[in-house]
Amino acid sequence: MDNTSTEQVFILRRKLDLLLRTGKLLVESGADTNRIVRNMNRVAAYLGPPEEKLHIDVSYTMLVVNVSDDAHSFSKFQKCEKHGINMTVISAISKLSWRAIEQDYSLDKYEEELERIGYMKRNYALMS
């Protein structure tokens, strides 16, 4: 693999990681599956992998994203463990996804905002 290909793979993996971290916050905050997929697809539109090549699988304890074409396939998994209701986080993720598209956020800016949302105080107790 040449340096350009290696860099492209690194960037793709970073984008998939950001997409999974976004989905994890939604799953662990009690968002319904339709909302999770809708928001993850919106974030994916911002991040750039073609929608027809992106596959997202959501379950209560695991998220999987895959980007594949005729030559390559990249999959990443994310475990979801700390479930509880947090409408503040769900709303903040939705707003972030729209802002990222409208303002053409850099990956660093998106990650910074996502981290901030991840550290928001919970309004409700965690479920065991």
Side-chain angles (χ1 to χ4, degrees), residues 11-109:
I11 291 169
L12 177 60
R13 290 187 186 276
R14 182 173 181 209
K15 289 177 177 182
L16 293 180
D17 181 59
L18 288 170
L19 185 58
L20 281 171
R21 287 165 54 193
T22 301
K24 178 181 179 178
L25 283 171
L26 290 165
V27 170
E28 291 184 347
S29 296
D32 68 86
T33 304
N34 287 332
R35 180 183 296 269
I36 295 165
V37 171
R38 186 172 57 245
N39 276 271
M40 288 180 74
N41 279 327
R42 189 178 315 123
V43 171
Y46 146 70
L47 292 172
E51 186 177 345
E52 68 277 3
K53 296 180 180 176
L54 177 69
H55 311 281
I56 299 171
D57 184 45
V58 178
S59 74
Y60 187 70
T61 58
M62 182 75 67
L63 285 168
V64 180
V65 294
N66 171 272
V67 175
S68 58
D69 59 23
D70 294 335
H72 302 94
S73 181
F74 297 95
S75 296
K76 288 195 83 157
F77 300 79
Q78 178 65 61
K79 196 168 188 174
C80 302
E81 300 175 295
K82 302 173 187 169
H83 298 278
I85 304 299
N86 195 335
M87 294 304 293
T88 305
V89 166
I90 294 170
S91 175
I93 293 281
S94 179
K95 290 174 184 172
L96 171 60
S97 66
W98 286 113
R99 273 195 324 271
I101 291 170
E102 292 166 358
Q103 298 177 20
D104 194 25
Y105 277 14
S106 67
L107 292 181
D108 289 339
K109 174 71 173 169

